Amino acid sequence: LSKAGFDAERARRAMARRSRFLGWGPNLHIFVVTLRCNETCVYCHASRAPVDAFHTDMTVETAERAVALALSTTSPSVTIEFQGGEPLLNFPVIRETVIYGRRREVEFGSHIQFGLTTNGTLLNPEMIDFFCSEEIETTISIDGIGEVNDRLRPFAGGAGSFDVLRERMT
């Protein structure tokens, strides 16, 4: 300790602990599984594609290669987050990616934390059960209640999305 009460060795240890991740490889991997979206948010920065533009979807083969690449990092854990467009429009690839990732994480000696960012309007019991059983952290984007959300997040046809989202959440 110095006269000012500063413990340089303690500070050095704290800094080393907080910055230990700097020697690891990447640990966050964003998988844009589709550019398709069922909403037309007024502020959206994504390259939104119409709901029927299936050519923008990630394939299972591409997702599996991306999982293997993510797991090849030197980081002790990996986070894979599914985004879009609206990722639930390509739920089959999300499901297969998680199943494949769980199988491969043991082989690579790593752990994958999966996440998902969605507008929530397409959620159904099958998806919710899957996300719960696989402990997938799910973020639902909403911009307020009622007309505020509807003005900022209308469906592609112009209808509001709030009531549909509220129905999915009950």
Side-chain angles (χ1 to χ4, degrees), residues 52-81:
D52 61 352
F54 294 98
H55 67 279
T56 70
D57 288 3
M58 180 181 282
T59 65
V60 171
E61 295 77 20
T62 297
E64 288 177 352
R65 287 194 312 268
V67 166
L69 180 63
L71 285 171
S72 69
T73 183
T74 57
S75 181
S77 65
V78 170
T79 298
I80 293 175
E81 183 172 319

Side-chain angles (χ1 to χ4, degrees), residues 76-155:
S77 65
V78 170
T79 298
I80 293 175
E81 183 172 319
F82 300 108
Q83 295 184 6
E86 172 46 51
L88 296 182
L89 286 166
N90 199 6
F91 177 69
V93 167
I94 292 172
R95 183 181 53 241
E96 292 305 314
T97 303
V98 171
I99 292 167
Y100 179 79
R102 293 289 182 234
R103 204 169 57 239
R104 297 293 306 271
E105 68 184 346
V106 174
E107 176 185 329
F108 277 84
S110 189
H111 171 71
I112 304 175
Q113 173 61 55
F114 288 100
L116 168 77
T117 300
T118 176
N119 64 38
T121 60
L122 300 173
L123 281 169
N124 63 43
E126 174 196 1
M127 293 174 183
I128 293 169
D129 288 346
F130 181 75
F131 298 151
C132 289
S133 70
E134 294 296 332
E135 298 181 353
I136 298 173
E137 294 181 5
T138 304
T139 301
I140 297 176
S141 301
I142 186 170
D143 291 327
I145 59 171
E147 65 186 47
V148 173
N149 186 78
D150 288 349
R151 186 177 70 250
L152 298 173
R153 296 182 151 271
F155 283 121

